[in-house]
Amino acid sequence: MSYFSLLTVNGLVVGLIYALTAAGLTLVFSVLRVVNFGHGALYMVGGYVSYYAIRYLGMPPLGGVVAAMVVLFLFGVLFEMLVMRPVYTDEVERKDEYAIIVTFGLTILLSNLAIVVFGPFSKSPPSFMAGTLILGPLILPYDRLIAAVVAIVLLCATTWFLARTSLGQALDAVSQSRESAAVIGINPRRMYTIAFGLGAALAGGAGALIAPVFALSPSMGDLPAVQAFIIIVIGGMGSVGGSIIGGILLGLAQSWGVGYLPDPNRALAYTQAFGAVLLIITLLIRPTGLFGRSHLRLE
């Protein structure tokens, strides 16, 4: 039972970081109807922004997380205004292809810039708090505990913002129907900008939270990006709440799968396979995902 509890806690911690990453990707897709293939690169940049804010500006580790979210929000706003705008106008004919190319291009650009600017070697930012929490058989480093708590706070704040504020409800209205939202006075283009900025901020925050737990590297966003795509399909395309549940389920599935695989020497090699199995099972039971909304379609 103690081993199961340890696996469950570790799965929840990792799953919450997954959920935070996927929530930003889901928000961008639900409002802009665009799949942001550059999301993993934004995650990586958030980790580096936090690292340098702590090292050169003297910020505390949690302050580095805030700095990463602010910088990535501003970057997301600028990127949407300067690069993504043709998707909603008549400046390009093949809008879907344009969105795929520019977001893939963002990944290539940021990944290679990171190698040039930050170097190809791993970096380790300071811990949120040194030490380990020991509760009977449960052993959890404070870094992971604080990362999980902050992720919960950010996810709750995002959910509250979308459900309880006028701006959040405007974002939801645009995600359901751009034309109807425009009729009642909502500016869809303004919502696109805000949504992309918020999505980038959540990705940056996730990268900053995971940085003290694992090492920073220019390729650190590749795997979380793949996991985020799996999560938003499991949770339902366009559902932020579904992405939160999907992230937690993925973290638990990977932790339990690795922990109980009969061959411990190969367990870690099959980590991503457990996510694929969870995805297949979910789609067999609910093809639209756990909380998918059938009206959402790429345009």
Side-chain angles (χ1 to χ4, degrees):
M1 185 63 183
S2 60
Y3 183 59
F4 175 78
S5 300
L6 182 62
L7 292 176
T8 301
V9 170
N10 283 325
L12 286 172
V13 171
V14 175
L16 287 167
I17 302 298
Y18 287 169
L20 188 61
T21 307
L25 185 62
T26 301
L27 182 61
V28 171
F29 173 78
S30 65
V31 177
L32 281 74
R33 318 281 174 86
V34 166
V35 179
N36 179 17
F37 290 100
H39 202 69
L42 299 177
Y43 172 97
M44 175 268 297
V45 172
Y48 277 106
V49 170
S50 176
Y51 173 81
Y52 284 103
I54 295 168
R55 181 173 180 181
Y56 293 109
L57 300 181
M59 288 186 172
L62 288 178
V65 176
V66 175
M69 294 187 70
V70 171
V71 171
L72 267 294
F73 176 82
L74 295 176
F75 178 84
V77 167
L78 289 175
F79 183 81
E80 192 280 334
M81 294 177 65
L82 298 176
V83 181
M84 297 298 295
R85 280 293 166 90
V87 175
Y88 330 119
T89 64
D90 295 326
E91 296 180 35
V92 293
E93 293 182 1
R94 305 175 71 88
K95 297 180 181 181
D96 291 342
E97 289 83 350
Y98 175 84
I100 292 172
I101 290 171
V102 296
T103 53
F104 259 124
L106 177 65
T107 297
I108 296 170
L109 173 65
L110 293 180
S111 297
N112 285 278
L113 275 178
I115 295 174
V116 173
V117 176
F118 307 131
F121 304 108
S122 299
K123 299 181 185 297
S124 298
S127 301
F128 289 119
M129 182 184 295
T132 302
L133 175 67
I134 302 177
L135 293 174
L138 182 63
I139 301 174
L140 184 66
Y142 284 123
D143 272 346
R144 295 196 174 206
L145 177 62
I146 293 174
V149 171
V150 175
I152 291 173
V153 171
L154 291 175
L155 290 170
C156 289
T158 301
T159 303
W160 176 85
F161 169 78
L162 294 174
R164 299 294 183 182
T165 66
S166 57
L167 185 56
Q169 291 171 355
L171 288 169
D172 184 60
V174 173
S175 74
Q176 296 186 49
S177 174
R178 300 173 181 177
E179 293 77 12
S180 299
V183 168
I184 62 175
I186 298 173
N187 185 346
R189 292 192 180 184
R190 180 168 172 261
M191 296 301 106
Y192 302 155
T193 303
I194 293 172
F196 202 94
L198 289 175
L202 291 174
L209 285 175
I210 209 66
V213 179
F214 302 106
L216 289 170
S217 70
S219 62
M220 65 177 285
D222 297 346
L223 189 56
V226 175
Q227 292 164 337
F229 287 119
I230 293 174
I231 290 166
I232 65 172
V233 175
I234 292 173
M237 300 290 282
S239 173
V240 175
S243 67
I244 296 173
I245 301 299
I248 294 173
L249 289 176
L250 179 61
L252 290 173
Q254 290 182 344
S255 181
W256 290 336
V258 170
Y260 287 111
L261 193 73
D263 186 355
N265 295 323
R266 299 182 180 180
L268 289 176
Y270 291 101
T271 301
Q272 306 311 315
F274 298 117
V277 171
L278 178 62
L279 175 63
I280 293 170
I281 294 173
T282 302
L283 292 180
L284 287 174
I285 298 173
R286 286 186 61 85
T288 60
L290 297 178
F291 302 95
R293 297 189 295 186
S294 59
H295 65 269
L296 278 178
R297 295 289 186 273
L298 283 173
E299 295 179 351

